[in-house]
């Protein structure tokens, strides 16, 4: 029984190491092509695969079929509000960090997003260094949540 437990611990450790080495997957959701291109360029220095969606429906479809590590989500989308997309993403993966972005920063939208568990929130135009820093923090948080606790057994 002891060797089975040791083997399980070794496999868990190997899976955690593999998860840390695999590139992160970031989904950027915005209906403006220029914003998608800008965020892709800003985040190109990260070790990440970047996916894009221009609508809430497209974003939710990607979230259902892909293990994402971070979503950067515009509040205003052509088909559904970003806050509603955030609510639905939370049902798909309650631990997934979501950063909300908008050019229209109303206090109520900020409060609603934060109540639903948004990781952070910023307005357009945004500072490249700030975007990178917040994205790294969110990815780090996600990585910590995915690695099983060493004291769980």
């Amino acid at each position: 029984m002891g060797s089975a437990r040791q083997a399980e611990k070794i496999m868990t450790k190997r899976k955690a190491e593999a998860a840390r080495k695999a590139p992160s997957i970031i989904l950027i959701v915005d209906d403006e092509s220029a914003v998608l291109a800008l965020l892709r360029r800003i985040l190109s220095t990260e070790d990440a695969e970047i996916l894009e969606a221009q609508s809430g429906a497209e974003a939710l479809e990607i979230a259902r079929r892909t293990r994402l590590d971070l979503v950067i989500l515009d509040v205003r989308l052509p088909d559904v509000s970003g806050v509603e997309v955030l609510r639905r993403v939370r049902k798909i993966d309650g631990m997934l960090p979501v950063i909300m972005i908008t050019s229209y920063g109303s206090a109520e939208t900020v409060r609603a997003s934060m109540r639903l568990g948004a990781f952070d929130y910023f307005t357009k135009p945004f500072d490249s260094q700030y975007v990178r820093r917040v994205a790294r923090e969110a990815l780090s948080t996600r990585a910590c949540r995915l690695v099983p606790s060493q004291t769980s057994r």
Side-chain angles (χ1 to χ4, degrees):
M1 188 79 114
S3 63
R5 202 174 237 169
Q6 283 180 317
E8 184 179 335
K9 282 186 178 184
I10 290 169
M11 290 305 296
T12 300
K13 185 176 179 180
R14 286 182 182 164
K15 286 179 185 176
E17 288 171 358
R20 280 192 292 263
K21 291 177 185 174
S24 300
I25 302 174
I26 300 172
L27 172 61
I28 304 169
V29 187
D30 199 297
D31 59 326
E32 297 177 45
S33 297
V35 173
L36 291 172
L38 175 62
L39 286 169
R40 179 180 281 284
R41 192 171 70 243
I42 289 170
L43 296 170
S44 67
T45 60
E46 304 306 308
D47 182 24
E49 177 183 349
I50 299 182
L51 306 177
E52 297 175 355
Q54 291 189 300
S55 70
E58 186 181 2
L60 290 168
E61 180 57 34
I62 292 169
R64 281 186 201 97
R65 64 178 176 7
T66 309
R67 189 201 55 81
L68 299 170
D69 295 299
L70 172 62
V71 175
I72 300 177
L73 175 61
D74 191 13
V75 168
R76 291 205 177 181
L77 297 169
D79 58 342
V80 65
S81 79
V83 174
E84 180 59 27
V85 174
L86 171 62
R87 183 178 287 112
R88 293 180 192 178
V89 163
R90 282 275 162 255
K91 289 179 182 176
I92 295 168
D93 183 346
M95 304 299 279
L96 177 62
V98 178
I99 299 170
M100 303 298 289
I101 57 172
T102 189
S103 4
Y104 315 97
S106 82
E108 182 51 39
T109 303
V110 172
R111 281 193 295 274
S113 299
M114 297 316 259
R115 270 195 311 269
L116 289 169
F119 184 83
D120 205 339
Y121 188 99
F122 50 87
T123 57
K124 301 173 197 174
F126 32 80
D127 175 79
S128 300
Q129 289 178 327
Y130 181 74
V131 170
R132 263 189 230 97
R133 183 174 59 79
V134 173
R136 284 180 189 143
E137 288 172 9
L139 289 168
S140 176
T141 299
R142 177 67 166 182
C144 290
R145 290 176 180 168
L146 290 177
V147 175
S149 169
Q150 298 301 319
T151 59
S152 64
R153 293 237 177 224

